[in-house]
Amino acid sequence: MKRTLTIIICLVLVFCMIPMQVYAASLGLSPSSSTVAPGGTFTVTVTGSGCAGRVDISVSNGSASTGSVWVDNNSASVTITAGSSGSTVVSATPVDMADNNAEEYNPGTQTVSVSIVAPSNPVTTTKPSTTTKPSTTTKPSNNRGDFKPEEEGLPKVEEEPEEPVRPETFEITIGGETYVIVENLKEEDAPKGFKIGETTYDGWPVACYINKEKAMTLMLLQLKDTDEKSLFLYDEANQSFSSTMSVPLMDYLEKSDEYKQLKELQKEVENSSNALPIVLAVLLIASVIGNICFLYNEYKSKGGFNFRKK
């Protein structure tokens, strides 16, 4: 009995003397780089040793590719995108974690910080070129100041001519009076045998009255700063005006109001049997004829027929 007890005690002592491994739980967080460019990315690694559970990831001044990872005696990586400046701080917080002995394990939040550094522009040095470039300015070689680019072999720059602009009005001086050409002509105002056409004055087309049978051109001119208008003969070849009209006076008067009134009165006289209306008609006709003579004298004295349009 004593011998058996002695053997048991010896075995217990031997067993107690055998070294035994003890596993301590730990949780680590490490970045892939200590610096990162603005808006750049880096990786953080969560390492769990002797423990298992969920780890939540939070980022300050940046963002993470995932909000949590699971570790079970292994490692898990998370991609972090940095902010624009300063530092990006990453935190790993264990949640419901236990060690290998199934006991609750909470080592606290693990934190790492990565500095955001803007890349510097590389400085490059270049040797000065030994090639001599031709000078862009050349002094006159003859010292006379009459230098021309083509004499030195330089291309001559030709300036584009400006487009001519048609004048709004054309002014003509006739007999000491200044006139302007009237172009808003009306067909009903044209003298007998004339129609509205187009001629050329000072290189520009202008409106006029034309009689093709008589090869005559009439221009309607208006005294400057007034409404008084007159017809003038125009010679396109010589660009000249004549104040002496060869158009018969009655050719124009046939279109006037006085002439029309005269014709109507003549018809009334011919159809009337009463002597008194005849006498009155004759007096009225005489008055009209007097007005026509006055117009004719004005035409002769001024050298051009006045339209009497205001």
Side-chain angles (χ1 to χ4, degrees), residues 12 30 38 85 143 159 171 212 216 254 267:
V12 171
S30 60
S85 62
N143 296 323
E159 296 182 359
E171 294 188 0
K212 293 184 179 180
M216 296 175 62
E254 285 181 359
K267 291 180 181 180

Side-chain angles (χ1 to χ4, degrees), residues 50 57 69-70 74 83 123 138 161 168 173 181 186 214-215 220 255 262 280 292-293 306:
I57 305 297
V69 294
W70 182 272
N74 61 358
V123 179
T138 306
E168 294 183 1
T173 301
I181 298 177
K186 297 180 180 179
K214 298 181 180 180
L220 181 60
K255 289 184 174 288
L262 179 60
L280 295 176
I292 293 174
C293 293
N306 196 308

Side-chain angles (χ1 to χ4, degrees), residues 72-93:
D72 188 358
N73 288 304
N74 61 358
S75 299
S77 297
V78 180
T79 301
I80 306 297
T81 302
S84 58
S85 62
S87 298
T88 297
V89 179
V90 183
S91 300
T93 303

Side-chain angles (χ1 to χ4, degrees), residues 61-131:
N61 193 20
S63 60
S65 59
T66 182
S68 62
V69 294
W70 182 272
V71 293
D72 188 358
N73 288 304
N74 61 358
S75 299
S77 297
V78 180
T79 301
I80 306 297
T81 302
S84 58
S85 62
S87 298
T88 297
V89 179
V90 183
S91 300
T93 303
V95 179
D96 296 333
M97 182 167 283
D99 59 14
N100 290 342
N101 297 322
E103 295 181 358
E104 182 180 357
Y105 175 66
N106 188 2
T109 301
Q110 307 296 310
T111 303
V112 294
S113 177
V114 175
S115 299
I116 300 173
V117 180
S120 58
N121 296 326
V123 179
T124 58
T125 58
T126 56
K127 294 182 179 181
S129 175
T130 57
T131 304

Side-chain angles (χ1 to χ4, degrees), residues 221-240:
L221 305 183
Q222 176 180 323
L223 275 173
K224 189 176 181 182
D225 301 327
T226 70
D227 293 333
E228 186 177 349
K229 301 175 184 177
S230 301
L231 282 171
F232 287 81
L233 283 171
Y234 174 64
D235 186 350
E236 182 178 357
N238 299 322
Q239 301 276 293
S240 61

Side-chain angles (χ1 to χ4, degrees), residues 35-76:
T35 60
V36 65
T41 59
F42 62 95
T43 302
V44 293
T45 302
V46 182
T47 303
S49 178
C51 59
R54 192 187 82 193
V55 179
D56 288 346
I57 305 297
S58 62
V59 181
S60 175
N61 193 20
S63 60
S65 59
T66 182
S68 62
V69 294
W70 182 272
V71 293
D72 188 358
N73 288 304
N74 61 358
S75 299

